[in-house]
């Protein structure tokens, strides 16, 4: 029972790291070395957390669990980005923001590419898990 609990905690932590990666992918690329280093550290932490969660569950259903983590994190990030875009598009809100405060999130192409990449990978893993459970070898 405790193994399952800690497995879920580790997988949730991995989801938080995936969320951070997808969110930080939208950051401006003025200092790309710092951004890449930060993303690499966050990715390493996320991989370690996911592997710990999978190890605690005996790597049973690893495709399904990893796909769920990736899709949940990318879905949450997409929702957050959409909400922030709606908020920042309002002239009323922008009156209260300091000038240039939105400029730090201007790497839309990279952000959307990373978001879609993780979502496609998560969906593919879920599909693989479903096809394996339907056709056990």
């Amino acid at each position: 029972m405790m193994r399952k609990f800690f497995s879920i905690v580790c997988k949730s932590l991995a989801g938080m790291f995936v969320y951070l990666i997808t969110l930080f992918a939208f950051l401006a690329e003025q200092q790309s070395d710092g951004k890449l280093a930060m993303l690499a550290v966050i990715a390493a932490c996320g991989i370690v957390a996911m592997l710990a969660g999978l190890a605690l569950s005996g790597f049973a259903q690893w495709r399904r669990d990893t796909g769920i983590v990736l899709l949940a994190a990318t879905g949450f990030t997409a929702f957050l980005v959409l909400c922030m875009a709606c908020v920042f598009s309002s002239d009323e809100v922008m009156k209260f923001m300091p000038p240039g405060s939105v400029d730090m999130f201007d790497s839309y192409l990279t952000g959307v590419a990373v978001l879609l990449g993780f979502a496609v990978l998560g969906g593919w893993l879920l599909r693989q898990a479903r096809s394996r459970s339907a056709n056990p070898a």
Side-chain angles (χ1 to χ4, degrees), residues 2-3 11 24 26-27 37 39 70 75 78 90 94 103 125 133:
M2 288 302 282
R3 280 180 72 137
K11 291 172 189 173
F24 288 160
F26 284 92
L27 287 177
L39 288 175
L70 290 174
S90 168
M94 293 309 289
D103 295 342
L125 285 169
S133 66

Side-chain angles (χ1 to χ4, degrees), residues 4-129:
K4 188 171 187 170
F5 172 76
F6 284 117
S7 173
I8 292 170
V9 168
C10 288
K11 291 172 189 173
S12 298
L13 188 62
M16 184 198 69
F17 286 121
V18 172
Y19 155 73
L20 288 174
I21 290 169
T22 54
L23 184 64
F24 288 160
F26 284 92
L27 287 177
E29 296 185 19
Q30 285 122 356
Q31 296 181 353
S32 61
D33 292 340
K35 180 180 176 179
L36 290 176
M38 179 179 60
L39 288 175
V41 168
I42 294 171
C45 293
I47 290 169
V48 167
M50 191 66 198
L51 286 174
L54 291 172
L56 287 168
S57 64
F59 290 95
Q61 302 287 329
W62 71 269
R63 286 179 180 88
R64 182 199 66 180
D65 294 349
T66 306
I68 289 170
V69 166
L70 290 174
L71 284 176
T74 55
F76 180 74
T77 306
F79 176 73
L80 180 73
V81 168
L82 179 65
C83 288
M84 294 310 292
C86 291
V87 167
F88 289 147
S89 68
S90 168
D91 291 334
E92 296 296 318
V93 172
M94 293 309 289
K95 288 180 195 175
F96 298 107
M97 302 286 288
S101 60
V102 184
D103 295 342
M104 66 185 271
F105 290 101
D106 70 348
S107 186
Y108 304 115
L109 185 61
T110 303
V112 169
V114 169
L115 198 64
L116 286 176
F118 277 131
V120 167
L121 179 61
W124 180 77
L125 285 169
L126 276 177
R127 230 177 147 79
Q128 291 293 315

